[in-house]
C-alpha cells in the first residue's frame, strides 16, 4: 500500500512542480486569505501516519507546559501575582518562550528563565525574556483572525538544555489615595494574562544532512498536526522549493550570488516585457546575494499552512532583531531559525515564520516565509505595515550590543537586490498605508524610509538601539550597490 501511495505522489508532484517551474517572477493575483489560492499547487495528497517512527530521528518538537501560581509568604509583603514552573529533567530543548491565550493582551511584568546545560548539568544564570513580542500579522489579515494566534514573549535561544525554571511576576504600580485618615500609598499589580504556558522548543538535528533528509524518506514530527506525514511533507517541500525555481534548481540548499551585470541580465530575461517604464529608465539593482533556502536551513514544510500569500510589490524593508540573544555560534544559526520557525507556528499560531529573510552574525542570509525570495510574499513582521513591504530579522539582541559589520553588509546587499527588483531607492522615502497599530490609525498614509526599522511603524524597541542607529549606513551602502 505504501509503495502505491508513494508512486502516486511522485506522479502528482511531477505535475505540480512542472507547473511551478514556469511560474512568472511577478506574483499572481493577491490572495484574499492564506488558503493557498495563489500557490499553484493542486490538492494535497492523502497523508499517511508514521506511528512507529523512531523519536530519535524526528526533526524537532515543541513541548508546552502550563504555569502555576507560586506560593508566597504574605508576611513578606503584599500578594504579588506570580506564576512559574520548575523541571529538573525534561526532553532536551534549545529555545524557550512563554505564551498566553489572548494575542491582544500585553504581559505587564517580568519573565525570567534559567536552564541546565545538557552534559555538564550546569545551570545558567537567570535571563529575561522580552515580554513585548511586537512582530505580528496585520489586524484584518486572515492569519490574525484564524483563532489560533496567541500572545507571546520573544523566544530566547539557550542552547542544548534539559532542565528549566521559569518565573513570571506581575508589574507593580504605586498610587496615592486620599482617605479619611489622610493620604496613603497603595501598591497595585497588573493581572497576568490567562493561559500562561512555557514553550520548550527542540529545533532538531543541527547538521544539514540530518535536518533536511530526502523528501521520500521524511516522516512526521513528534507533534505534527493530525495525519500530516511522509507524503504531505514531500509535496509541500517540493512546492516551497519550486517557488524559487527560476533562481536555483529544484531542491537547492542555496541560491548562488550573482554579479550586478549578471543580475541585470537575469531580471531582463525573467521579466521581459513586464518591466515597468521606471525600471527600464532606471535599471538600478544590486548584485544578487547568496541566500540559503528553506531547504538549506532545514525547514519542516509540514509545519506551516499550505499555499502562499502575496502582496502587489515591495516598496519598503523593515529591519528587526529577533531578541533571541547573541549566545549562538554561526554554525548554530540554522538551528536558531528552525526554533524561531517552530515557535512562530506551533507556539504563536502563525501560518509560517513571520520574517521574509533572516541574517546571522556572520552575514549569512536565509530565506524566511515561503513563497519565493524574489516575490512579494506577505509576512507577519511589522503589525500594520506588512502589505507591500518585507521584513528582515537579524538573529540576536541589539539594545546594548553592537551589530556585527557582516550583518550590516548583508542587510545592504539584500535590500539593494530585493528593493531593486521593484524599482525602490534604498536612500529614498515611500508611502505605506497603515493597517492599524499603536503608532498610526488604520488607513493613514505614512511616509517612511524605504529601509526602516521596526520602531518606525510600531512603538517598540525593535530592532534595538544599536542596530537602529546603523540603518543610515545600510541605506547608503545599499544605494551604492545599486549603482546610484
Amino acid at each position: 500500500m505504501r509503495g502505491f501511495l508513494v508512486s502516486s505522489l511522485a506522479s502528482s508532484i511531477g505535475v505540480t512542480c512542472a507547473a511551478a517551474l514556469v511560474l512568472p517572477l511577478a506574483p499572481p493575483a493577491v490572495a484574499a486569505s492564506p488558503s493557498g489560492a495563489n500557490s499553484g499547487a493542486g490538492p494535497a495528497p492523502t497523508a499517511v501516519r508514521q506511528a512507529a517512527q523512531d523519536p530519535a530521528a524526528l526533526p524537532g518538537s515543541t513541548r508546552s507546559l502550563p504555569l502555576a501560581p507560586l506560593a508566597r509568604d504574605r508576611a513578606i509583603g503584599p500578594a504579588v501575582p506570580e506564576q512559574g514552573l520548575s523541571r529538573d529533567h525534561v526532553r532536551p530543548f534549545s529555545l524557550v518562550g512563554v505564551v498566553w491565550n489572548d494575542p491582544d493582551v500585553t504581559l505587564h511584568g517580568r519573565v525570567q528563565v534559567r536552564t541546565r546545560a545538557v552534559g555538564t548539568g550546569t545551570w545558567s544564570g537567570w535571563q529575561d525574556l522580552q515580554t513585548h513580542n511586537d512582530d505580528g500579522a496585520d489586524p484584518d489579515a486572515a492569519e490574525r483572525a484564524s483563532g489560533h494566534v496567541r500572545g507571546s514573549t520573544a523566544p530566547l535561544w539557550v542552547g542544548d538544555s534539559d532542565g528549566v525554571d521559569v518565573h513570571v511576576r506581575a508589574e507593580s504600580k504605586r498610587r496615592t489615595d486620599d482617605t479619611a485618615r489622610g493620604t496613603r500609598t497603595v501598591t497595585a499589580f497588573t493581572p497576568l494574562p490567562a493561559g500562561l504556558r512555557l514553550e520548550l522548543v527542540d529545533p532538531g538535528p543541527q547538521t544539514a544532512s540530518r535536518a533536511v533528509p530526502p523528501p521520500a524518506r521524511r516522516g512526521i514530527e513528534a507533534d505534527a498536526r493530525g495525519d500530516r506525514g511522509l507524503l504531505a511533507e514531500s509535496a509541500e517541500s517540493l512546492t516551497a522549493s519550486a517557488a524559487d525555481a527560476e533562481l536555483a534548481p529544484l531542491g537547492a540548499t542555496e541560491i548562488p550570488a550573482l554579479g550586478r551585470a549578471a543580475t541585470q541580465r537575469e531580471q531582463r530575461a525573467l521579466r521581459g516585457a513586464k518591466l515597468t517604464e521606471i525600471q527600464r529608465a532606471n535599471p538600478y539593482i544590486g548584485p544578487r546575494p547568496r541566500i540559503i533556502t528553506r531547504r538549506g536551513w532545514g525547514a519542516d514544510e509540514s509545519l506551516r499552512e499550505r499555499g502562499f500569500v502575496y502582496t502587489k510589490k515591495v516598496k519598503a524593508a523593515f529591519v528587526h532583531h529577533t531578541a533571541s540573544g547573541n549566545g549562538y555560534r554561526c554554525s548554530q544559526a540554522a538551528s536558531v531559525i528552525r526554533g524561531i520557525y517552530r515557535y512562530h507556528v506551533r507556539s504563536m499560531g502563525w501560518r509560517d515564520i513571520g520574517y521574509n529573510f533572516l541574517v546571522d552574525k556572520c552575514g549569512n542570509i536565509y530565506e524566511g516565509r515561503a513563497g519565493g525570495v524574489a516575490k512579494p510574499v506577505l509576512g507577519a513582521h511589522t503589525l500594520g505595515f506588512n502589505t507591500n513591504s518585507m521584513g528582515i530579522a537579524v538573529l540576536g539582541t541589539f539594545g546594548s550590543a553592537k551589530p556585527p559589520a557582516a550583518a550590516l553588509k548583508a542587510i545592504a546587499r539584500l535590500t539593494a537586490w530585493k528593493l531593486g527588483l521593484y524599482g525602490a531607492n534604498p536612500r529614498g522615502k515611500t508611502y505605506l498605508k497603515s493597517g492599524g497599530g499603536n503608532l498610526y490609525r488604520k488607513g493613514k498614509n505614512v511616509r517612511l524610509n524605504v529601509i526602516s526599522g521596526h520602531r518606525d511603524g510600531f512603538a517598540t524597541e525593535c530592532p534595538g538601539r544599536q542596530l537602529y542607529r546603523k540603518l543610515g549606513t545600510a541605506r547608503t551602502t545599499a544605494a551604492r550597490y545599486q549603482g546610484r
Side-chain angles (χ1 to χ4, degrees), residues 20 46 64 130 133 139 177 182 208 230 291 296 310 315 372 431 456 476:
T46 303
S64 184
Q130 180 179 296
N133 193 4
D177 292 343
L230 176 65
I291 301 172
Y310 299 97
K315 298 172 63 178
Y431 281 91
D456 294 322
T476 300

Side-chain angles (χ1 to χ4, degrees), residues 222-234:
D223 58 351
R225 288 175 285 189
D227 291 333
R228 303 191 64 167
L230 176 65
L231 301 183
E233 161 54 23
S234 298

Side-chain angles (χ1 to χ4, degrees), residues 195-439:
L196 287 171
R197 302 184 70 87
L198 175 67
E199 304 291 295
L200 302 178
V201 181
D202 170 20
Q206 293 185 15
T207 60
S209 61
R210 291 184 63 196
V212 196
R217 297 172 58 191
R218 189 69 167 272
I220 65 169
E221 58 169 9
D223 58 351
R225 288 175 285 189
D227 291 333
R228 303 191 64 167
L230 176 65
L231 301 183
E233 161 54 23
S234 298
E236 290 155 5
S237 179
L238 290 177
T239 302
S241 182
D244 289 317
E246 293 160 319
L247 308 180
L250 195 66
T253 57
E254 67 176 57
I255 296 169
L258 286 181
R260 185 162 175 249
T263 301
Q264 290 176 332
R265 287 195 299 271
E266 178 185 70
Q267 295 315 303
R268 284 195 293 269
L270 289 173
R271 289 182 179 269
K274 296 177 183 177
L275 282 168
T276 67
E277 292 298 327
I278 293 176
Q279 288 169 315
R280 289 193 189 98
N282 302 288
Y284 295 113
I285 182 170
R288 187 181 74 198
R290 170 179 171 265
I291 301 172
I292 298 168
T293 65
R294 289 173 64 91
R295 187 165 183 81
W297 56 260
D300 181 350
E301 301 295 352
S302 72
L303 292 179
R304 64 174 175 83
E305 290 187 16
R306 295 172 55 201
F308 314 128
V309 183
Y310 299 97
T311 65
K312 293 181 179 179
K313 60 185 71 174
V314 179
K315 298 172 63 178
F318 286 97
V319 177
H320 304 250
H321 68 172
T322 58
S324 52
N326 303 318
Y328 69 94
R329 301 185 301 275
C330 289
S331 61
Q332 297 176 309
S335 293
V336 177
I337 295 171
R338 290 199 303 277
I340 293 172
Y341 171 45
R342 181 175 284 276
Y343 187 71
H344 281 184
V345 177
R346 277 283 180 262
S347 302
M348 296 173 61
W350 294 357
R351 71 185 316 269
D352 194 351
I353 192 169
Y355 311 114
N356 298 104
F357 297 93
L358 300 100
V359 174
D360 69 24
K361 64 174 69 174
C362 292
N364 296 303
I365 300 170
Y366 302 83
E367 178 183 14
R369 181 163 287 206
V373 297
K375 299 173 185 176
V377 177
L378 178 67
H381 49 84
T382 305
L383 192 150
F385 292 99
N386 291 303
T387 298
N388 295 335
S389 72
M390 67 174 181
I392 304 168
V394 182
L395 299 180
T397 305
F398 300 106
S400 57
K402 294 182 178 180
L408 294 172
K409 182 178 180 180
I411 293 171
R413 286 179 59 84
L414 175 59
T415 52
W417 172 71
K418 184 64 180 278
L419 293 172
L421 294 178
Y422 297 89
N425 181 353
R427 285 188 300 195
K429 303 279 188 177
T430 191
Y431 281 91
L432 292 177
K433 182 178 290 187
S434 172
N438 62 5
L439 271 183

Side-chain angles (χ1 to χ4, degrees), residues 15-26 242-246 270 274 375:
V15 174
T16 299
C17 292
L21 287 172
V22 296
L23 289 174
L25 184 60
D244 289 317
E246 293 160 319
L270 289 173
K274 296 177 183 177
K375 299 173 185 176

Side-chain angles (χ1 to χ4, degrees), residues 315-316 318 384-385 429-436 439-450 452 455-458:
K315 298 172 63 178
F318 286 97
F385 292 99
K429 303 279 188 177
T430 191
Y431 281 91
L432 292 177
K433 182 178 290 187
S434 172
L439 271 183
Y440 301 102
R441 61 173 173 79
K442 183 177 181 179
K444 180 177 176 59
N445 280 318
V446 182
R447 190 168 185 257
L448 295 161
N449 287 309
V450 168
S452 288
R455 64 175 64 181
D456 294 322
F458 194 88

